[in-house]
Amino acid sequence: MSSTSWVSGVIAALIVVAGAAGCSSDAPTPEPAPTSSSEPQGPSSPTAAGPATSAPATAVVPDLVGLPSADAQQLLGELALGSSWGPPVTVGCGVRPRTVVRQRPAAGTPAGPRTSVQVRTAALDLERFRGPCSPRGASVGPVEEADEALAEEFYRFAADPSLGAPFAARGVWVGIEDGPTSTTVSGEELMDLEAWEVGTEYAERSGPFSALDVLAGSGGWYELREGVSGTCPESAGEAPPGLQGLRTLTLSSPADVTSACLEWWGVTLFLDAQDRIRGVALRLGSP
């Protein structure tokens, strides 16, 4: 064999060996190419280096219109919002006194830590309009229907004395609490609003004071319970001399419009055996 033939044979052998190595079962299998997805590709998900955070929800001014004043104050407090309460807005029977009728900013306005809501509530101007009103859903306690009717009759009298009420024939004792200041209103004076005025200084306020004016200003919204109500801050409810032992009913400010003692009031009726009114006591809360 010539030298040229021998070299050609060696090269052929090497090519065969190399081809066999490339076909070995130990060779890695190529991974399939990724397939396309019909779903849109969103932003990359958070990694362990920093979890995703969302911005805190922005507080908004709540809708206060129509809420009783104490409920509105409580809601603002829960939301940590300040408030300023302007002079009342004069209304008639269509709006409950001491409920919110105006607010600024409006409901839904974004609120910051320094937001203060300006609030105005409803009130009756007794010199222009006293009622009586016929409220729906006035608050009463666990009393007899006859007592509810008697309380409503006295409220209507307070608003319009010409409507009358069941008074004792010999006149009516009228005073503040258990009688530090009092007067007797005769039968002929019952319809005279000035005859019901008593006192000049009481509950850190200047008088004169009138149970009829206080009750008329409620628009017929009151709580009713048996007994003599204690004055706010807490004090014992006592009957004045000469009226002790009589049955009593107390009309007072509803809790949902009373957030402080200064806003509390009570009017107690003293009744004889025929449920005629012998006495009327006014109580006002002090700061």
Side-chain angles (χ1 to χ4, degrees):
M1 178 184 297
S2 65
S3 59
T4 303
S5 299
W6 181 85
V7 172
S8 299
V10 171
I11 293 173
L14 290 173
I15 292 173
V16 171
V17 171
C23 295
S24 171
S25 60
D26 293 336
T29 303
E31 293 189 12
T35 58
S36 62
S37 172
S38 60
E39 297 182 3
Q41 298 298 311
S44 59
S45 51
T47 64
T53 58
S54 58
T58 303
V60 298
V61 175
D63 187 359
L64 304 176
V65 175
L67 289 182
S69 56
D71 289 352
Q73 287 187 14
Q74 180 177 351
L75 178 56
L76 291 171
E78 292 172 352
L79 297 174
L81 294 176
S83 62
S84 60
W85 297 71
V89 177
T90 301
V91 298
C93 286
V95 181
R96 180 185 175 189
R98 300 176 74 175
T99 58
V100 178
V101 291
R102 295 181 189 173
Q103 70 175 85
R104 184 184 296 174
T109 302
R114 296 184 179 180
T115 299
S116 180
V117 184
Q118 300 176 34
V119 185
R120 297 182 69 180
T121 57
L124 297 179
D125 182 348
L126 297 184
E127 294 189 4
R128 297 172 53 193
F129 177 79
R130 297 179 65 95
C133 301
S134 298
R136 298 179 181 179
S139 177
V140 295
V143 296
E144 300 291 334
E145 289 186 8
D147 289 341
E148 289 185 35
L150 177 59
E152 182 178 359
E153 189 173 6
F154 184 73
Y155 155 69
R156 292 177 63 81
F157 168 83
D160 182 359
S162 68
L163 298 176
F167 293 104
R170 58 183 178 179
V172 180
W173 181 96
V174 175
I176 291 174
E177 297 195 17
D178 57 352
T181 304
S182 65
T183 188
T184 299
V185 180
S186 66
E188 294 77 18
E189 297 174 311
L190 288 173
M191 291 193 298
D192 182 0
L193 292 175
E194 291 185 0
W196 288 78
E197 294 177 349
V198 292
T200 56
E201 298 290 334
Y202 170 53
E204 301 186 26
R205 280 164 273 197
S206 298
F209 304 93
S210 169
L212 299 189
D213 287 352
V214 169
L215 190 53
S218 74
W221 293 86
Y222 49 78
E223 293 181 356
L224 177 65
R225 61 178 58 85
E226 295 181 338
V228 181
S229 178
T231 305
C232 186
E234 286 299 324
S235 64
E238 299 181 2
L243 299 179
Q244 296 174 352
L246 296 180
R247 195 169 78 88
T248 54
L249 292 173
T250 295
L251 299 82
S252 61
S253 58
D256 61 359
V257 294
T258 308
S259 58
C261 281
L262 189 63
E263 300 168 344
W264 183 90
W265 56 265
V267 174
T268 300
L269 308 181
F270 296 86
L271 309 171
D272 64 15
Q274 289 75 41
D275 278 345
R276 294 174 301 189
I277 301 170
R278 285 265 312 275
V280 177
L282 172 66
R283 286 176 161 79
L284 298 176
S286 298

